Amino acid sequence: MKRWLNKAEVVLGNHSDRLNAINIFPVADGDTGTNLYLTMRAAAAALGGPADAAETGNDVGAVLARAGQAAMERARGNSGTLIAVFLSAAAEPLAGNPRLNAPLLAAALHRAQIRAWSALSEPVSGTMLSVLEAAAYAAQAVDANQEGDQSNHALGLALDAAVDAAFQAVVRTEDELAPLHEAHVVDAGGVGMLLVLDCLRSAVLGEELQDELLDGLHGYKLQDPHIHQHMPADDGVEVMCTIDLAPLDAAVLRQRLDEMGDSVIMSQVGGAARAEDDDDSPMDVSYRWRIHVHVPDPGPAVELIRSLGEPADIAVSQLAVPRDAVGGHDD
């Protein structure tokens, strides 16, 4: 797990410029690569100290859960939030296991794709969601064909199939979304997910990354222009924060944010918490949520969020102004 996340951090950093260059959906602000890199950097950094190793031991699920929570707390933009959801959700079926195998990989990818699709109020095909879904189905098919074989050989087959399916899904994104088809490029977030999955394959199997996967992707050659620079600027802002909410308040917040703006993402961070005077009533259970939304004006959205709880780390950024390498808002 640690080798995978460290490799993914380096690879996303190396590819951030090209991912930014083809970033035109849902907002042409050219920072998908930056957001993915910074979010993955937070995940990898969470596993640095000896105290972490003592706490997580050889539990691959615990290791990934710690990384996923750190990524969620510091997620950047739409793409970063979704990659954090992916890490956090994939950790759940792995809990208590000392090693990865094909059945666990299939379960982890399946859980991750369900959680990623459900985190968005209006999920869209032709994005990193479709890439993750294709990888999950491919891993499940291999696991079924291998009849639950837990050998390293079966795991290798599942990883190969997942990465191949992810690549094919990336190629399809160009024709699944009209803006991508018109610009003749593939989806930036989808390529980022492909890179992360290939890093997992490389870390587990001890093989090199399959750089040739990227050779035929439209818009991905170094000499290609930064396509997002020629797209019309988007008005409005992105609002992000973390907040503790009861399920009912979370549902109210999602509904109201859907009415105010778009690109709404709400995903849980960690497990449930209860009030100190808990009487076992479900109404006393609260969850920590990572919130992401695009709105014309931040005022009403921030006011709504504050009316339901005490948000942490509220970040507001203009969609029309690309951020530098230490910032980032949305893809």
Side-chain angles (χ1 to χ4, degrees):
M1 293 296 105
K2 294 178 181 178
R3 191 163 61 245
W4 167 36
L5 297 177
N6 287 330
K7 186 183 290 283
E9 176 193 355
V10 172
V11 169
L12 288 173
N14 290 342
H15 286 266
S16 61
D17 183 67
R18 289 317 305 165
L19 293 173
N20 290 343
I22 62 172
N23 167 209
I24 63 172
F25 183 88
V27 178
D29 52 5
D31 62 3
T32 283
T34 301
N35 289 337
L36 286 172
Y37 163 65
L38 292 174
T39 304
M40 189 60 71
R41 185 175 71 178
L47 305 178
D52 296 327
E55 187 172 326
T56 57
N58 291 326
D59 186 334
V60 294
V63 171
L64 192 56
R66 178 181 287 273
Q69 181 161 346
M72 192 73 76
E73 293 279 6
R74 302 186 65 181
R76 304 295 187 106
N78 198 353
S79 58
T81 303
L82 288 176
I83 207 72
V85 171
F86 161 66
L87 295 175
S88 298
E92 295 170 4
L94 304 181
N97 290 279
R99 61 181 291 273
L100 188 64
N101 56 45
L104 287 175
L105 174 68
L109 293 179
H110 177 66
R111 180 74 60 87
Q113 66 99 2
I114 290 177
R115 284 275 299 277
W117 279 88
S118 63
L120 278 159
S121 291
E122 297 181 0
V124 177
S125 297
T127 62
M128 62 194 303
L129 296 176
S130 300
V131 175
L132 177 54
E133 183 178 62
Y137 287 157
Q140 287 178 297
V142 169
D143 180 47
N145 187 57
Q146 295 293 313
E147 299 180 339
D149 184 358
Q150 299 184 20
S151 69
N152 288 339
H153 173 71
L155 176 59
L157 293 177
L159 286 166
D160 285 341
V163 172
D164 182 64
F167 169 74
Q168 298 298 332
V170 168
V171 173
R172 290 194 297 271
T173 63
E174 183 178 340
D175 292 323
E176 289 180 296
L177 286 171
L180 301 181
H181 183 75
E182 292 172 7
H184 197 46
V185 294
V186 293
D187 180 65
V191 179
M193 179 61 71
L194 171 63
L195 290 170
V196 170
L197 291 171
D198 196 33
C199 284
L200 175 60
R201 176 191 174 278
S202 172
V204 171
L205 301 183
E207 298 182 4
E208 295 297 320
L209 291 168
Q210 303 178 87
D211 293 329
E212 68 278 4
L213 285 176
L214 308 177
D215 291 344
L217 298 180
H218 291 157
Y220 213 73
K221 295 179 181 178
L222 289 177
Q223 62 268 33
D224 289 337
H226 276 242
I227 297 169
H228 74 92
Q229 294 178 343
H230 306 289
M231 307 295 289
D234 288 86
D235 296 327
V237 299
E238 176 190 73
V239 177
M240 295 190 70
C241 69
T242 306
I243 188 171
D244 293 327
L245 294 174
L248 181 58
D249 287 338
V252 169
L253 179 59
R254 183 187 285 272
Q255 180 182 7
R256 295 287 303 280
L257 289 178
D258 283 337
E259 295 169 353
M260 290 182 177
D262 52 32
S263 291
V264 176
I265 306 178
M266 289 184 58
S267 186
Q268 293 176 23
V269 182
R274 290 183 178 274
E276 292 182 3
D277 59 348
D278 171 41
D279 60 358
D280 294 330
S281 168
M283 299 302 293
D284 293 318
V285 178
S286 66
Y287 297 86
R288 193 160 180 80
W289 297 85
R290 187 65 174 173
I291 312 298
H292 171 282
V293 63
H294 293 173
V295 288
D297 175 18
V302 172
E303 182 179 355
L304 169 63
I305 293 169
R306 290 190 185 280
S307 73
L308 295 170
E310 292 294 331
D313 303 322
I314 292 183
V316 177
S317 55
Q318 296 290 330
L319 293 174
V321 182
R323 306 283 290 278
D324 60 24
V326 296
H329 39 83
D330 191 76
D331 39 313

